Amino acid sequence: MGSDSHCAIYSKAITLPVPKLSQESKPSVSFKVLKSNNAILVRKSDGQIFMEKYANQKIYLASITKIMAVTIALQKLPLPNQRITLTSDVFDQMEKAGASTAGFHPGEWVRSVDLMYGALLPSGGECAIGLAKAVSGSESSFAELMNRKAQKIEMKHTHFVNSTGLHDKN
């Protein structure tokens, strides 16, 4: 969102454009056009809630997790051209979970920037794990970095346990 925006939409899959609002205006949003099961429309400047749909329901973060993973990788990896090897255990994990991948192969050396694109565009789980291991040595250590970042940017009630967004009871 641009700096002149006064409204933010948080959702797992929303198809609405974010309206530009003045401090006094109130958006009109219909649940009929909202495809997401969970959503909230909040004015950024003062936190006023205009609309919510099961906003307090606990949900999986899904690919939002990969956005956080790439954010951390951008901050921690020294160069976008750093070469990272994708190990076969990563692919075994993705296959077992039925997770989406970007099409890289076990043993392949991949530039970190390509893993970032792979994590975001086709939602490649192998890319997110490759970045996590390159930054922290393990996915669990990387999740700790993600949680620290989430606290810093005030993502309340958010807890990451992996870099892929694959379902986990925690």
Side-chain angles (χ1 to χ4, degrees), residues 60-76 93 119-120 124-125 127-166 168 170:
Y60 292 110
L61 291 171
S63 289
I64 298 281
T65 305
K66 292 184 187 87
I67 294 170
M68 179 64 86
V70 170
T71 299
I72 299 294
L74 282 167
Q75 295 170 347
K76 300 288 184 181
Q93 182 181 346
L120 295 175
C127 300
I129 294 173
L131 291 168
K133 288 183 173 185
V135 169
S136 297
S138 73
E139 200 172 10
S140 59
S141 295
F142 189 76
E144 290 175 25
L145 292 176
M146 294 169 67
N147 286 317
R148 278 189 239 137
K149 179 69 171 182
Q151 285 179 335
K152 185 176 180 180
I153 62 175
E154 299 182 32
M155 290 178 73
K156 298 175 183 167
H157 311 293
T158 300
H159 181 72
F160 296 104
V161 295
N162 59 48
S163 62
T164 60
L166 290 173
D168 184 291
N170 295 314

Side-chain angles (χ1 to χ4, degrees), residues 88-139:
S88 60
D89 63 311
V90 169
F91 294 90
D92 295 341
Q93 182 181 346
M94 294 297 94
E95 186 176 333
K96 184 183 284 184
S100 62
T101 59
F104 294 107
H105 302 286
E108 188 172 356
W109 286 79
V110 184
R111 295 181 315 156
S112 57
V113 68
D114 293 327
L115 290 179
M116 291 176 200
Y117 281 119
L120 295 175
L121 299 177
S123 199
E126 84 275 28
C127 300
I129 294 173
L131 291 168
K133 288 183 173 185
V135 169
S136 297
S138 73
E139 200 172 10

